[in-house]
Amino acid sequence: MKVAIIGAGIAGLSCALRLQQGGCVVTLFDKGRGAGGRMATRRVETPGGTIAFDHGAQYLTMRDPDFVAAMQGWAAAGVVARWPAAGTDAWVGTPGMNAIVGHLAAQTDVRWNTQVTALRRTAAGWQLEPGEAKLFDSVVVAIPAEQAAALLEPHDAAMARIAADSRSAPCWTAMFAFETPLAIADDVLKDRGIIGWAARNSAKPGRDGPEAWVVQATPDWSRDHLEDAAETVVDQLQAALAAQCADALPAPIVRVGHRWRYARAAAGEAGCLWNAGERIGAAGDWLLAPRIESGWLSGRRLAEQMLADA
């Protein structure tokens, strides 16, 4: 079975690896330049060297036995480590959050910088548009719900409706680096005014370089300011971080903003979606819960269902 997966995040990669184990030939397509998605790590060049920021998902936890086993494998490979500052059950990718996705992507065939804008069902199989000549027996949509709805709607209205009804919360994120440590005792700050989460990124395991902070606004504030200019948002998040500092905030050597329109998925109940007749499915954290583990589980469950129907 030849399978196309749209989206090479944790859900798409989990699905791909399980399908490969079942003997399928899988190709993933992702509009990004490289591994990460919402588990992204931003690298900023400065005169003093490269500074990295985990500006998407901050950490992950594990509960499901299958995911625990996967995490143990990743730990053995050196791509995850515990991060006690975020909780006793918190883990991070090393040396960046995107290391996990990169580790999985290296075991698959991913076409980066490739945005699929439409799916076309033909008598000979599924065709991806624009410009993909290869035909596929099955197709999986593993992207945020709002984006998935448009691809699914022409082929399964019920699936598209589930996706359209799932609304992700946005998140404005600012990244700062400083030449000296900030006078903030804790490495993690939660629910401090407009700050929903802030973390001393440079204190995570496997990181090096100067003092680096990731500051993420609350969902409500992000929604209210979603269309504001990035510079204005960064100014306000810098002021909010300064208010948490015992001394005057030094001038940052890096100031970068990033708007996540689809940052935190709503909880779902389906787990995954699969139309055996049309051979089209969907996976993602929006079908379970807003956790990295949920995205991985959704992709794996869809793969199991597809293999059972093969």
Side-chain angles (χ1 to χ4, degrees):
M1 182 165 61
K2 296 185 291 295
V3 182
I5 298 180
I6 317 306
I10 195 74
L13 288 165
S14 170
C15 186
L17 290 170
R18 181 64 190 94
L19 288 173
Q20 286 180 182
Q21 291 173 354
C24 299
V25 178
V26 183
T27 307
L28 297 102
F29 300 84
D30 196 288
K31 68 178 183 179
R33 291 176 295 175
R38 286 177 294 174
M39 296 171 67
T41 300
R42 172 80 66 89
R43 289 173 173 80
V44 180
E45 298 297 331
T46 74
T50 303
I51 302 176
F53 302 87
D54 296 325
H55 65 301
Q58 294 294 295
Y59 64 92
L60 67 160
T61 58
M62 52 181 178
R63 304 174 187 176
D64 182 271
D66 287 337
F67 191 64
V68 170
M71 284 277 287
Q72 289 171 342
W74 302 344
V79 296
V80 294
R82 289 186 180 275
W83 186 32
T88 56
D89 59 344
W91 293 70
V92 295
T94 54
M97 283 299 293
N98 67 346
I100 301 168
V101 181
H103 174 68
L104 301 180
Q107 304 170 54
T108 63
D109 177 15
V110 183
R111 311 285 174 84
W112 302 110
N113 291 304
T114 305
Q115 183 170 8
V116 175
T117 58
L119 305 170
R120 190 161 68 90
R121 187 79 159 100
T122 72
W126 284 98
Q127 187 171 34
L128 279 52
E129 298 179 352
E132 176 60 36
K134 186 177 178 181
L135 293 175
F136 299 90
D137 303 308
S138 302
V139 64
V140 169
V141 178
I143 53 180
E146 291 85 348
Q147 298 168 341
L151 289 180
L152 293 168
E153 200 278 331
H155 311 290
D156 190 310
M159 274 193 207
R161 196 158 44 248
I162 293 171
D165 288 344
S166 178
R167 295 295 179 184
S168 303
C171 180
W172 265 112
T173 298
M175 292 154 268
F176 303 104
F178 305 90
E179 291 182 339
T180 57
L182 300 190
I184 298 176
D186 298 324
D187 290 338
V188 170
L189 305 174
K190 301 177 185 178
D191 301 322
R192 307 289 181 93
I194 70 171
I195 297 175
W197 167 277
R200 184 178 272 118
N201 198 89
S202 49
K204 289 182 176 180
R207 277 64 170 174
D208 55 20
E211 180 90 345
W213 280 80
V214 171
V215 182
Q216 296 182 325
T218 65
D220 287 344
W221 191 92
S222 296
R223 191 177 292 108
D224 291 342
H225 297 269
L226 192 61
E227 304 303 333
D228 288 5
E231 186 70 16
T232 301
V233 170
V234 171
D235 285 344
Q236 293 182 72
L237 290 176
Q238 181 175 329
L241 181 64
Q244 303 302 316
C245 197
D247 298 331
L249 193 76
I253 57 175
V254 171
R255 275 172 38 104
V256 181
H258 184 89
R259 176 178 56 194
W260 295 99
R261 285 192 180 273
Y262 311 120
R264 184 179 175 85
E269 298 178 352
C272 63
L273 302 172
W274 176 238
N275 181 329
E278 293 296 311
R279 303 207 66 79
I280 184 171
D285 56 356
W286 54 276
L287 289 161
L288 273 175
R291 298 194 305 273
I292 291 172
E293 177 183 39
S294 299
W296 186 92
L297 287 170
S298 177
R300 186 177 177 88
R301 289 178 186 176
L302 176 56
E304 297 282 5
Q305 197 164 341
M306 293 170 67
L307 290 170
D309 287 338

